[in-house]
Amino acid sequence: GGGSDLIFPHHEFSAAHAECMTGQRRFARHYVHAGMIGWDGHKMSKSRGNLVLVSRLRADGVDPAAIRLGLLAGHYRADRSWSDEVLAEATTRLQRWRTATALPAGPDATDLIARMRRYLADDLDSPKALAAVDGWVADAAEFGGHDPLAPGLVATALDALLGIR
């Protein structure tokens, strides 16, 4: 695994070397390559000096859950940009989610949790998982619900499946 910019030649050559050395045909069953994160129209990189560091965001008081939501909003394989707007949208989303999961009752959470698991099991499709949560949150805010356990179940699922408290 690694960045999509390392597939060729680095990862392919490493696999070829390992196959030659071990005599095994398949070096790995699965490869995972993440898309590039950009800033101001360029790929973030140490050499460009255009990194937005999580440590800096944290020092500025940004909630780590908002950072994570901003990154999860795009598919891990897709190139995408980081911006103040991405962070603002993630912060707003996080506030909506926290408000909904603090309600005394909400819509049944069974289908939502099953869909989140299914989407994440399908090539870590985090944008679909986030959209499913957004749908539950909208229903909870607009229509309420009769299940007193649902908000807690959703909060637990967000933490367990997405790392969002």
Side-chain angles (χ1 to χ4, degrees):
S4 60
D5 60 337
L6 300 177
I7 295 171
F8 180 83
H10 304 293
H11 295 159
E12 290 183 9
F13 284 2
S14 294
H17 288 133
E19 288 175 7
C20 288
M21 194 170 80
T22 63
Q24 299 295 315
R25 172 70 180 115
R26 290 191 50 146
F27 176 66
R29 284 190 165 83
H30 303 283
Y31 290 89
V32 178
H33 293 96
M36 300 292 101
I37 305 291
W39 177 259
D40 286 338
H42 299 282
K43 176 185 94 166
M44 277 194 216
S45 67
K46 288 186 286 186
S47 62
R48 290 190 74 88
N50 66 344
L51 298 176
V52 176
L53 300 174
V54 171
S55 59
R56 173 67 61 180
L57 292 171
R58 292 286 296 123
D60 291 342
V62 176
D63 189 323
I67 299 166
R68 182 171 292 212
L69 273 177
L71 292 171
L72 290 173
H75 195 278
Y76 79 93
R77 280 189 289 111
D79 291 346
R80 54 204 186 277
S81 292
W82 182 262
S83 65
D84 293 337
E85 293 79 26
V86 168
L87 183 56
E89 289 171 12
T91 300
T92 300
R93 174 181 261 163
L94 180 62
Q95 291 169 345
R96 284 193 317 264
W97 287 13
R98 286 182 172 161
T99 298
T101 57
L103 292 171
D108 181 70
T110 307
D111 180 60
L112 166 64
I113 295 169
R115 285 187 297 136
M116 287 175 65
R117 287 180 175 146
R118 186 170 63 248
Y119 297 146
L120 293 172
D122 182 14
D123 196 26
L124 294 174
D125 197 342
S126 59
K128 277 189 182 176
L130 271 57
V133 177
D134 288 341
W136 184 90
V137 166
D139 287 349
E142 187 171 345
F143 306 113
H146 301 291
D147 186 347
L149 298 178
L153 290 172
V154 171
T156 298
L158 292 175
D159 187 25
L161 298 174
L162 299 173
I164 306 294
R165 290 187 185 266

